[in-house]
Amino acid sequence: MDYTYAPGRNHLFVPGPVNIPEPVLRAMNRNNEDYRSPAVPALTKTLLEDVKKIFKTTTGTPFLFPTTGTGAWESALTNTLSPGDKTISFLIGQFSLLWVDQQKRLGFDVDVVESDWGEGAKLDVLAAKLAADPSHTIKAICIVHNETATGVTNNLAKVRKILDDYRHPALLLVDGVSSICALDFRMDEWGVDVALTGSQKALSLPTGLGIVCASPKALEAAKTAKSYRVFFDWSDYLKFYKIGTYWPYTPSIQLLYGLRAALDLLFEEGLDNVIARHARLGKATRLAVEAWGLKNCTQKEEWVSDTVTAVMVPPYIDSAEIVRRAWKRYNLSLGLGLNKVAGKVFRIGHLGNLNELQLLGCLAGVEMILKDVGYPVKLGSGVAAASAYLQNAIPLIPSRI
């Protein structure tokens, strides 16, 4: 039985995987080919150069792994650290929790700085820990830029300033899975040593590419790091970069062509315009939530995310029922609450290949679902609040002026 078909299309508003643009689908609709032929290395060379642009780096070295964000995490850790090395890692939600777990399982000495779910990283604690470490035993700071479970975005510029204020040489490792290509991210300016993302998020590709970018400092650390690594070893890639064939093992040919098309679309729109579009979508969603009389899981304005909004529900409502009802009745896919916020929040993803009218359709669907589950929402209230803002905020489409 096909559980996905219904009239029209599925309205995909989870915070990844996201909608795939038609040009990307067409680019991936191709047969296999010999990745050792001249064509694939030539394609890969342009991809590596252009991937640097989405991280906003001129000095970083990118790696394209056929994996997910979890594999990209492992690559970042094992290439730069040795077992027993001390890391500071911020636990602010489900995905930062999983990264902490991975660090522990890989044998690192993890100093976990935990916040309430809905709060950002406690950077005052980071400052205190760096001040108390004159011998520089802390080898890396691991932080999730945008915590998908709670809709919290951390200020990476502040993290870099704290490191610089204490002249601490710890590596800065950043999970940008649900931020890069959607939120402002400046690898070089913020002194990020390893940044990573996944293809199924703001790049609007299928799952399957873990994209990692390493600074010169991180590459130098990799020369002496003693963690075991095989599949994720940067040195294997660098050898093949040097000889111009680029791949130490078989790449996903179709995803590479999809990545080429995805990058072309992002650059055609303009990366700054992409970030501004996500800012509009995020604000419109938050205005709708406010109009419904509900609260954002994110506890302060400084932490709000423009790629996902986690909506708190009253205690008498199970947020999982909202997600079930959305899929069963309206062909709308929303994100579940995870772990500590399971049953308490549902998540609206607003990232990737998405425009404002699509978002308004989602918000209308959420209003009907809220009514279905017994919440006294006024139909049209959230849509009206979002529309009033967007009607004055949406720019003309440049190619149609």
Side-chain angles (χ1 to χ4, degrees), residues 272-283:
D272 289 341
N273 294 329
V274 172
I275 293 166
R277 171 167 55 82
H278 282 87
R280 290 194 299 275
L281 297 173
K283 183 170 182 179

Side-chain angles (χ1 to χ4, degrees), residues 100-398:
V100 166
D101 176 64
Q102 187 186 77
Q103 291 168 55
K104 291 179 178 179
R105 291 163 69 179
L106 288 169
F108 305 122
D109 177 12
V110 189
D111 185 354
V112 181
V113 179
E114 187 167 2
S115 301
D116 290 338
W117 288 33
E119 292 184 348
K122 294 181 177 178
L123 300 186
D124 56 335
V125 176
L126 172 64
K129 289 181 180 293
L130 294 180
D133 185 38
S135 58
H136 299 158
T137 61
I138 299 165
K139 300 303 179 185
I141 310 301
C142 301
I143 188 167
V144 173
H145 187 198
N146 188 82
E147 173 53 69
T148 321
T150 56
V152 166
T153 301
N154 285 307
N155 189 323
L156 298 181
K158 286 186 178 179
V159 178
R160 169 44 58 193
K161 185 177 186 306
I162 292 168
L163 281 162
D164 290 347
D165 285 348
Y166 290 98
R167 295 178 179 161
H168 202 289
L171 295 165
L172 178 54
L173 311 184
V174 175
D175 169 345
V177 171
S178 60
S179 65
I180 290 169
C181 289
L183 306 182
D184 189 21
F185 189 89
R186 310 178 193 183
M187 183 170 178
D188 286 356
E189 183 178 332
W190 295 339
V192 175
D193 291 300
V194 186
L196 58 96
T197 191
S199 54
Q200 79 278 16
K201 299 287 186 173
L203 277 165
S204 301
L205 286 161
T207 307
L209 284 180
I211 303 173
V212 179
C213 199
S215 72
K217 181 179 173 182
L219 291 180
E220 195 61 32
K223 294 177 182 177
T224 55
K226 293 180 172 58
S227 293
Y228 288 116
R229 57 211 188 248
V230 179
F231 186 82
F232 296 118
D233 196 337
W234 296 346
S235 66
D236 289 344
Y237 272 77
L238 293 172
K239 290 174 189 174
F240 284 86
Y241 286 3
K242 191 172 182 179
I243 63 177
T245 54
Y246 293 101
W247 293 100
Y249 38 67
T250 310
S252 174
I253 300 293
Q254 288 78 8
L255 278 174
L256 295 183
Y257 283 103
L259 177 59
R260 179 67 272 160
L263 291 171
D264 289 344
L265 289 174
L266 287 168
F267 297 152
E268 181 180 349
E269 184 177 356
L271 198 53
D272 289 341
N273 294 329
V274 172
I275 293 166
R277 171 167 55 82
H278 282 87
R280 290 194 299 275
L281 297 173
K283 183 170 182 179
T285 304
R286 294 189 292 274
L287 288 169
V289 172
E290 183 180 353
W292 296 332
L294 296 174
K295 291 185 178 180
N296 194 326
C297 181
T298 311
Q299 294 181 20
K300 289 185 180 179
E301 183 72 20
E302 66 184 277
W303 295 321
V304 294
S305 169
D306 287 331
T307 62
V308 56
T309 300
V311 185
M312 303 287 293
V313 298
Y316 63 87
I317 292 175
D318 178 3
S319 66
E321 179 56 30
I322 290 173
V323 176
R324 283 191 292 267
R325 179 64 65 104
W327 189 79
K328 287 183 176 182
R329 187 173 190 190
Y330 299 101
N331 203 13
L332 169 62
S333 294
L334 301 170
L336 286 163
L338 303 172
N339 201 316
K340 287 187 177 183
V341 292
K344 300 176 182 178
V345 311
F346 67 93
R347 295 175 297 146
I348 301 173
H350 34 82
L351 74 161
N353 181 46
L354 186 68
N355 65 33
E356 293 84 355
L357 294 186
Q358 288 173 283
L359 176 66
L360 291 174
C362 169
L363 298 177
V366 171
E367 290 181 354
M368 290 189 287
I369 299 157
L370 289 171
K371 199 84 169 176
D372 287 349
V373 299
Y375 180 73
V377 66
K378 180 181 177 182
L379 293 178
S381 57
V383 174
S387 297
Y389 161 68
L390 289 171
Q391 194 272 326
N392 292 306
I394 301 173
L396 291 172
I397 300 170

